[in-house]
Amino acid sequence: MGTAAWAEAWTGGRRAVHIGNVADFNAQFVPASDDSTRHGHHYSCLAAFYSPHPAVLVLPHQVEPEWVRRLDRILDWSEVEVHSGLAEDGRLIGPALAARPELRRRLDALALPVRHWGATEGTGTGVAAVRRYEAKDASHALFTRLAPGHPGIRVPAQLAVDSPRALAGVVDERARAGRTTVLKARHGVGGFGTAVLTPGRIAAAGGARNLLRRLADDQVLPSREGLLVEEYVEGGGRLRHPSFDGLITEDGTVHPVGVALMRVEDTAYAGATVGPGSVPARLAGAAVPFGVAVGRELAAAGHRGWYDVDFVTDPAGRLAPTETNVRLTGPAVAFMIQARLDAVRGPGHLVRTIDRLPLGARLGQQALLAHLEALARRCARFGATLLPTIPTAGFEAQPTVGVALAATDPDALDAAEAVARAANLALGDPFDPLTAR
């Protein structure tokens, strides 16, 4: 069975070394106390899916061998070499690897492609392009320049406001006109650093100044200075949040991967669905050429590797680009799993990732993996395959697990997701005699 052309381009058709440097990448742009950086420790587990067929995983958090063995059984990976538990703070690039010369020599000796979540100091070239276009005002300027050649694209208006007083005035004025405002930090990760301010929300807080102070105190926004005011694009429904993913090879060639349908909760990314029919052809037909045009500009600026362009869909069906991510992405994981399943089981897979599925009890990895094994058998009754993607966050104060669901029928995905959500929330806490089951 064939492998997708983009997957061949991504690693030259070879297995790869995957280094889970999510926390390192995030730390370039968001404060260390931000939830997105803390969760980056767990999100690094997605390194298992930085290409369709890993040879080596290098992870900051300790993972149970059974996790990778289960993925191997489903995805026919053959033996994967795992190095985990290397960095308590999640930061792999720098001291964590420098302190392990044997591991570095081992990775060098393999002479395989190396894939990171994104470029940081110490990972090679392209850091300047990443830092330039991860900024939301720079990506907005790029979108504005490219949009006239793409009739299905509309770029939301954006304004930079430097002082807290001026910002509060702009937001209050828009609220009095009945307009919702999107506030963005220049840099953010996974929706963190973005807030949607409706007139009702502003009024309930006693005005924009009070609300902005509260958002800064709660670290929803990094500060009240240097924020971007962006037009809120009306619209909603199932097709609200498409995302184009592509990659740029070393020779600067842009390879389109596909268009995913993201799930966004409030402003935070929560997962994506990819595969046949997940995004209508009319939306994909607008997203792909625009996304490729963005990729060519990123390539000219020196970026090599994965990137995406996120959109919102307006009531007329036009796509409004909101940001570009110059790194691997959440939807990339779904595309990698889809490519591997299509290669080993036959074409036509739909894949849905859910990165932070709530748990009704705190579970260590062994107990969590046993729970997911039983849950996978229930999902299989609907014709769906469950893959654990983030198994290390089950003992947090607010425990979660990341999973991917795969099927050839969208109804099977929906049924399996409903079962997974209900089963997870029904868990009793084994440390609490009042809820233990």
Side-chain angles (χ1 to χ4, degrees):
M1 298 174 187
T3 301
W6 63 261
E8 292 282 348
W10 180 229
T11 62
R14 305 171 69 197
R15 300 177 72 181
V17 175
H18 299 181
I19 297 181
N21 69 326
V22 175
D24 301 85
F25 186 90
N26 290 359
Q28 299 177 113
F29 305 111
V30 295
S33 59
D34 189 284
D35 180 65
S36 61
T37 297
R38 294 197 306 271
H39 194 68
H41 197 171
H42 299 300
Y43 217 65
S44 292
C45 291
L46 296 183
F49 313 99
Y50 287 2
S51 79
H53 194 186
V56 180
L57 302 183
V58 181
L59 303 170
H61 200 66
Q62 188 71 40
V63 296
E64 290 290 334
E66 176 53 32
W67 173 52
V68 177
R69 285 198 291 264
R70 172 163 175 75
L71 296 175
D72 184 2
R73 290 195 297 270
I74 297 170
L75 298 171
D76 193 23
W77 275 345
S78 63
E79 188 172 344
V80 177
E81 184 178 320
V82 180
H83 303 271
S84 68
L86 304 186
E88 286 298 319
D89 64 355
R91 303 287 291 275
L92 277 178
I93 307 302
L97 289 181
R100 294 169 173 82
E102 300 87 355
L103 175 57
R104 289 187 289 115
R105 285 194 292 269
R106 167 65 178 157
L107 299 181
D108 290 342
L110 290 171
L112 291 173
V114 177
R115 295 293 175 258
H116 301 85
W117 179 254
T120 66
E121 296 294 343
T123 62
T125 60
V127 176
V130 167
R131 292 182 176 171
R132 176 181 177 186
Y133 284 109
E134 279 284 329
K136 291 177 172 55
D137 51 353
S139 60
H140 182 270
L142 174 59
F143 299 154
T144 301
R145 180 158 55 83
L146 294 176
H150 298 267
I153 303 295
R154 58 154 298 189
V155 181
Q158 189 184 89
L159 172 69
V161 182
D162 292 327
S163 78
R165 181 183 296 273
L167 178 62
V170 169
V171 173
D172 275 331
E173 180 181 357
R174 291 173 63 85
R176 286 192 294 270
R179 298 165 67 188
T180 294
T181 296
V182 180
L183 288 188
K184 292 182 174 181
R186 290 188 69 245
H187 294 100
V189 178
F192 296 98
T194 300
V196 177
L197 309 185
T198 64
R201 186 179 183 186
I202 294 166
R209 182 173 297 183
N210 290 340
L211 180 55
L212 292 170
R213 185 181 299 113
R214 186 181 306 161
L215 292 172
D217 290 345
D218 293 343
Q219 297 185 337
V220 175
L221 296 172
S223 73
R224 291 174 288 155
E225 298 184 11
L227 293 174
L228 304 171
V229 177
E230 189 166 287
E231 171 193 2
Y232 178 77
V233 177
E234 297 290 344
R238 188 181 68 84
L239 302 176
R240 174 68 169 164
H241 294 285
S243 178
F244 166 84
D245 276 55
L247 64 93
I248 303 166
T249 48
E250 287 301 317
D251 64 358
T253 301
V254 177
H255 297 263
V257 174
V259 182
L261 191 62
M262 297 187 296
R263 176 176 296 166
V264 177
E265 297 173 354
D266 192 7
T267 61
Y269 171 83
T273 302
V274 305
S278 56
V279 176
R282 61 179 179 82
L283 289 183
V288 171
F290 186 77
V292 169
V294 170
R296 290 179 179 139
E297 295 290 331
L298 297 178
H303 179 55
R304 297 295 183 269
W306 205 274
Y307 74 97
D308 82 352
V309 181
D310 293 342
F311 302 91
V312 294
T313 306
D314 76 5
R318 295 175 299 174
L319 295 180
T322 57
E323 66 178 8
T324 184
N325 294 297
V326 192
R327 53 167 170 79
L328 277 161
T329 68
V333 170
F335 283 117
M336 302 296 182
I337 293 171
Q338 181 201 19
R340 186 61 182 172
L341 287 173
D342 281 358
V344 300
R345 294 188 178 184
H349 284 88
L350 291 149
V351 174
R352 176 174 299 162
T353 55
I354 309 170
D355 292 345
R356 298 178 81 167
L357 194 61
L359 294 170
R362 296 196 309 162
L363 296 178
Q365 281 189 57
Q366 289 185 349
L368 178 56
L369 290 169
H371 163 70
L372 293 177
E373 184 72 27
L375 182 55
R377 291 193 291 270
R378 296 178 63 185
C379 291
R381 298 171 192 166
F382 301 102
T385 299
L386 183 145
L387 301 87
T389 56
I390 303 177
T392 59
F395 215 73
E396 292 291 327
Q398 296 181 327
T400 64
V401 63
V403 301
L405 298 167
T408 56
D409 176 2
D411 291 338
L413 281 187
D414 293 340
E417 180 181 345
V419 166
R421 289 186 180 276
N424 283 356
L425 291 176
L427 285 168
D429 189 337
F431 301 98
D432 183 347
L434 295 179
T435 61
R437 297 177 61 190

